[in-house]
Amino acid sequence: MPRTPTGAAVLQPEVTQAITEAVMWELAEQGYGRLSMEAVAKRAGVGKSALYRRWASKDHMIASVVTEFSVTRAAEVNTGSLRGDLRETMQALIDWLTHPLFSRILPDLIAEDARNPDHGDGLRGAIGGPRREVGEAMLRRAIARGELPEDLDMEMALDVLAAPIYWRLVVRQAEAEPDYVDRLVVYALRALGG
């Protein structure tokens, strides 16, 4: 009968959570380039070995933490209507982009991507891929319900849904007024042909 590992072989969830929070805070305060494994370990109250048991490098650690944070915030909703699904999905996107820490981290990740395109490929795919899959599933359900045309340009539709929010919140750094999502849903439905 195999023995259950103990000690260093067990990755304790509370330690992983402390490290994850430390990574987010360090990214928000120091940025990608100045973040160090030492600072993350100190903030989390662990040794550097706890980080290296989980991730092979700083890049892997950051990619993993940011991906987990981002993908878990992609709204997997099924309200039964495209209008309801769009509203929930768009609000979740706003909540993700305006999160107090992530809103400070994202511009730095974008800048790092511009400086080092190879870095961005992995992170873009790890975050964008799963988030777009959730959006595509929502649109395919709407097609099946007859709310959208069967020949919908999926790539364009996914861009149309996310781009206005990204542009407003990240590029323009403008507020999303209380009725912004409702107004945006109306425009998105027109653009999608729904």
Side-chain angles (χ1 to χ4, degrees):
M1 177 172 191
R3 180 172 83 74
T4 303
T6 60
V10 177
L11 296 181
Q12 300 167 332
E14 63 276 5
V15 172
T16 302
Q17 183 59 37
I19 295 169
T20 297
E21 289 173 13
V23 170
M24 293 294 286
W25 277 103
E26 286 295 316
L27 278 171
E29 292 175 1
Q30 301 302 321
Y32 186 93
R34 292 187 4 208
L35 180 141
S36 71
M37 298 294 264
E38 293 82 7
V40 169
K42 182 177 179 182
R43 185 181 285 260
V46 300
K48 278 187 3 183
S49 61
L51 278 58
Y52 286 109
R53 277 195 297 274
R54 289 162 174 81
W55 304 285
S57 67
K58 167 185 158 175
D59 288 343
H60 286 112
M61 178 182 68
I62 291 171
S64 176
V65 168
V66 171
T67 298
E68 176 69 18
F69 175 85
S70 299
V71 172
T72 59
R73 283 165 174 75
E76 293 190 51
V77 297
N78 188 354
T79 65
S81 75
L82 178 58
R83 180 179 297 273
D85 289 354
L86 285 175
R87 184 167 202 319
E88 296 295 320
T89 299
M90 289 177 169
Q91 186 60 59
L93 182 56
I94 289 171
D95 293 346
W96 173 55
L97 293 174
T98 60
H99 182 278
L101 285 180
F102 192 69
S103 64
R104 293 167 54 191
I105 293 168
L106 184 60
D108 185 58
L109 292 179
I110 293 168
E112 182 64 27
D113 184 17
R115 286 188 294 269
N116 182 358
D118 292 339
H119 158 267
D121 288 344
L123 201 53
R124 261 192 317 272
I127 295 171
R131 291 187 68 91
R132 285 179 80 84
E133 287 171 12
V134 169
E136 183 174 344
M138 172 189 66
L139 294 175
R140 293 213 180 279
R141 284 192 306 272
I143 292 169
R145 289 189 302 255
E147 294 176 287
L148 290 174
E150 289 185 16
D151 64 346
L152 180 71
D153 182 337
M154 194 60 69
E155 284 300 305
M156 184 64 72
L158 291 168
D159 287 349
V160 163
L161 297 179
I165 296 170
Y166 177 82
W167 182 261
R168 183 179 196 92
L169 299 178
V170 178
V171 177
R172 289 185 51 221
Q173 297 184 350
E175 296 284 323
E177 300 89 0
D179 67 338
Y180 177 69
V181 172
D182 293 321
R183 292 187 345 234
L184 189 54
V185 166
V186 170
Y187 279 93
L189 286 169
R190 287 183 196 154
L192 296 174

